Amino acid sequence: MKFNIDFMKVRKPALIISLVLVVASMFMLLTMGLNLGIDFTGGNVIQFDFENRPEIGTVREVVSGVVAREAMIQNFGDKGIIIRTNEDTEESRENVVKAVIGKFSDAKVTGFEKVGPVVGGELRRQAVIGVTIALIAILIYITVRFQFRFAVVSVIPLVHDVIIALGFFSITQFEISSSFIAALLTIVGYSLNNTIIILDRVRENWGSLDREGIVNLVNKSLNQTLSRTINTTLTTLFPVIALCVWGGPVLMAFSYAMLVGIIAGTWSSMFVATGLLVEWQLRDKK
């Protein structure tokens, strides 16, 4: 199917919308912060075994009555359940154990572990380092593979997508676990892949720049890759929506981060990267 949509006609409003979203996300991060989970703040991890393992929802109702913040509960093995709480005191652990054993007479504690905040701080530091290294490596690779201008307009959307995902979690106060970091790196890869496909087509059409002009050239490239963008976005979006609806609390951080990231990544690939390239080229045609 051939498209002939004038995407670049709305590039300036699109860039303004993205700028507003990024500024709003940064404001929310500074004022509200993030609801960090046990992986980052420390807490208790308690493992139970049951003769007849109850439903996770039932266990959650029992635990919610004795902890201040929602616990992360997941099945373990054939008969086990692991409960993770953000409270790392011995009193909190004992309250959880008493509540579970009081409700389920066949429950037995088979192990527990205390995760200290030092481990959480190290994990935060490693997460920031990992994302930063990934962005720098991407910048270098695209500079070598294409040109520096393409590299810059490819990396800016990645930062845009990550900040918007963080802003969404700051507004909603969904708990952030280590799987959220995996989701952020996945978002970076997904968004970059979309952007590279479009910019590679721009590079292929670059020979007609003098004849068509940068606006028409980018529009043509976007239309030529639009079918691929739609197919990739939808086939990725549908499974992620299913995870958001049926994945449960354990997958909440990952699935919602992916949902926001896919939407933001598709937007930034089609409007932010290309819009910045057009504006840069119009101002500096060398």
Side-chain angles (χ1 to χ4, degrees):
M1 181 183 298
K2 291 185 177 181
F3 297 94
N4 188 26
I5 302 172
D6 189 0
F7 291 100
M8 291 299 96
K9 183 178 181 180
V10 296
R11 67 181 183 277
K12 290 183 178 179
L15 289 172
I16 292 173
I17 290 172
S18 289
L19 180 60
V20 170
L21 289 175
V22 168
V23 172
S25 296
M26 293 181 68
F27 176 77
M28 297 305 299
L29 286 169
L30 291 173
T31 55
M32 295 184 63
L34 295 168
N35 180 17
L36 300 176
I38 182 176
D39 295 326
F40 298 96
T41 62
N44 285 316
V45 180
I46 312 167
Q47 182 178 329
F48 293 90
D49 270 358
F50 301 83
E51 291 183 9
N52 297 300
R53 184 168 63 190
E55 295 292 331
I56 287 181
T58 306
V59 178
R60 191 180 307 281
E61 292 177 2
V62 174
V63 175
S64 63
V66 295
V67 296
R69 299 171 64 182
E70 184 175 355
M72 181 180 293
I73 304 172
Q74 62 189 96
N75 291 328
F76 177 77
D78 296 329
K79 298 183 177 181
I81 282 181
I82 294 177
I83 300 175
R84 303 170 184 262
T85 70
N86 290 83
E87 302 163 0
D88 60 357
T89 64
E90 184 176 348
E91 179 184 1
S92 174
R93 185 176 70 245
E94 290 177 353
N95 289 339
V96 172
V97 171
K98 288 179 182 178
V100 173
I101 293 179
K103 177 67 175 180
F104 309 103
S105 58
D106 61 339
K108 294 181 180 179
V109 179
T110 56
F112 67 85
E113 180 183 1
K114 181 177 179 180
V115 180
V118 174
V119 176
E122 179 66 17
L123 184 57
R124 287 198 300 271
R125 187 180 69 85
Q126 291 178 352
V128 172
I129 292 174
V131 173
T132 303
I133 291 175
L135 292 177
I136 293 173
I138 290 167
L139 184 65
I140 295 172
Y141 170 77
I142 299 177
T143 300
V144 174
R145 181 67 178 82
F146 295 90
Q147 53 177 286
F148 179 69
R149 185 171 302 188
F150 282 39
V152 173
V153 300
S154 297
V155 170
I156 290 176
L158 305 184
V159 178
H160 162 280
D161 301 341
V162 170
I163 291 177
I164 288 179
L166 289 170
F168 173 81
F169 272 73
S170 179
I171 294 172
T172 59
Q173 287 294 294
F174 287 158
E175 185 174 278
I176 290 180
S177 62
S178 56
S179 63
F180 178 77
I181 304 303
L184 286 185
L185 293 174
T186 305
I187 290 169
V188 168
Y190 175 88
S191 179
L192 178 65
N193 183 58
N194 271 352
T195 303
I196 289 299
I197 293 295
I198 294 171
L199 292 183
D200 188 53
R201 185 56 59 91
V202 172
R203 181 183 61 82
E204 291 176 357
N205 295 330
W206 200 256
S208 61
L209 176 63
D210 293 337
R211 183 175 66 256
E212 296 184 1
I214 186 63
V215 174
N216 291 331
L217 187 148
V218 170
N219 268 328
K220 182 172 73 172
S221 301
L222 280 167
N223 281 287
Q224 288 173 343
T225 56
L226 185 57
S227 295
R228 182 261 173 205
T229 300
I230 293 173
N231 292 335
T232 303
T233 301
L234 292 181
T235 53
T236 310
L237 194 61
F238 290 151
V240 170
I241 291 174
L243 284 177
C244 291
V245 176
W246 295 292
V250 175
L251 294 176
M252 180 177 290
F254 179 83
S255 55
Y256 277 93
M258 285 294 298
L259 179 63
V260 175
I262 289 172
I263 296 172
T266 303
W267 170 271
S268 64
S269 298
M270 297 185 64
F271 293 103
V272 177
T274 55
L276 289 174
L277 180 63
V278 168
E279 291 299 321
W280 193 341
Q281 183 68 21
L282 290 175
R283 285 163 173 73
D284 181 13
K285 298 182 179 180
K286 293 181 182 179

